[in-house]
């Protein structure tokens, strides 16, 4: 039993001829293709991060940005954000504490609060929805409660990483071909 692989080299020869014809315009072709595909990858990473982290889309748009490739510099996706505060995870106050949904999983953070006063007539504090916890035995000091979720760490792990590589692998070759024929005038 033998296995044989046959390949038709005609499309490859056509692509080779197109690459030679592009000549000095090839860097322009590559930059255009990389920038277009990079923008698509940023969108996909943001969409997946919304599901992966439990943060709202607007927060992800502000936190995850793409910088376009030019003059030999690569397309870069940067994210920023430290330990994200609980108030960004749809925090709700209950008698036992505040519930919030970091990593899209709602859980109780005991002995924390958003409002002031006695139950059931609690009043919102003028702190933008911050989740607070008492540090000492007295009324003060207070500290904001963090989630333990870091957007830059989440961006390079799990589904968001897979979404990036899947988008690049799927779209970049066809986009290079598109830009190449665009430069050559459809030849």
């Amino acid at each position: 039993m033998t296995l044989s692989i046959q390949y038709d080299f005609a499309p490859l020869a056509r692509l080779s001829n197109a690459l030679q014809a592009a000549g000095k315009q090839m860097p322009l072709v590559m930059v255009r293709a990389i920038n277009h595909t990079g923008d698509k990858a940023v969108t996909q990473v943001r969409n997946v991060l919304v599901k992966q982290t439990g943060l709202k889309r607007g927060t992800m748009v502000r936190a995850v940005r793409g910088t376009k490739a030019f003059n030999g510099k690569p397309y870069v996706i940067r994210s920023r954000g430290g330990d994200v505060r609980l108030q960004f995870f749809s925090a709700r106050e209950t008698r036992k504490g505040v519930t919030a949904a970091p990593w899209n999983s709602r859980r109780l953070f005991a002995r924390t609060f958003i409002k002031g006063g006695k139950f059931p007539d609690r009043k919102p504090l003028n702190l933008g929805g911050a989740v607070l916890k008492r540090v000492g035995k007295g009324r003060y000091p207070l500290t904001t409660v963090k989630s333990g979720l870091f957007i830059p760490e989440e961006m390079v792990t799990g589904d968001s990483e897979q979404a990036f590589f899947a988008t690049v692998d799927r779209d970049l070759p066809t986009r290079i071909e598109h830009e190449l024929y665009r430069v050559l005038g459809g030849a």
Side-chain angles (χ1 to χ4, degrees), residues 4-176:
S4 65
I5 298 173
Q6 291 183 342
Y7 185 76
D8 181 17
F9 287 102
L12 197 58
R14 192 175 118 210
L15 181 62
S16 175
N17 292 338
L19 289 173
Q20 287 177 350
K24 291 181 180 179
Q25 291 185 323
M26 199 57 200
L28 175 67
V29 167
M30 294 305 291
V31 166
R32 283 180 179 171
I34 288 170
N35 286 338
H36 188 271
T37 306
D39 289 344
K40 281 180 152 184
V42 167
T43 301
Q44 293 303 314
V45 167
R46 285 178 184 159
N47 290 342
V48 170
L49 277 172
V50 167
K51 295 174 192 163
Q52 186 175 325
T53 63
L55 290 166
K56 290 185 170 52
R57 172 119 175 107
T59 306
M60 279 304 148
V61 169
R62 286 189 302 274
V64 179
R65 300 279 173 141
T67 305
K68 297 200 180 283
F70 66 98
N71 291 341
K73 294 185 175 151
Y75 191 97
V76 178
I77 299 176
R78 287 191 173 86
S79 66
R80 60 185 186 169
D83 195 353
V84 181
R85 292 176 287 165
L86 280 184
Q87 75 186 67
F88 294 104
F89 295 100
S90 304
R92 290 182 243 153
E93 185 177 286
T94 64
R95 282 188 182 262
K96 293 183 178 183
V98 173
T99 63
W103 292 285
N104 244 351
S105 174
R106 187 158 293 276
R107 65 185 192 112
L108 175 70
F109 293 85
R111 302 182 59 80
T112 57
F113 59 94
I114 300 174
K115 299 177 180 180
K118 292 188 176 185
F119 273 100
D121 297 322
R122 293 179 61 76
K123 306 289 187 240
L125 299 175
N126 202 7
L127 298 172
V131 178
L132 302 170
K133 186 172 191 161
R134 297 195 192 287
V135 177
K137 291 184 179 183
R139 185 174 178 189
Y140 294 107
L142 301 173
T143 183
T144 57
V145 182
K146 309 281 180 121
S147 65
L149 184 139
F150 295 84
I151 296 172
E153 288 178 6
E154 293 296 319
M155 187 179 81
V156 295
T157 59
D159 293 341
S160 55
E161 180 185 31
Q162 292 172 355
F164 170 77
F165 287 115
T167 303
V168 170
D169 291 344
R170 180 186 67 238
D171 294 345
L172 187 59
T174 55
R175 194 64 196 187
I176 291 172

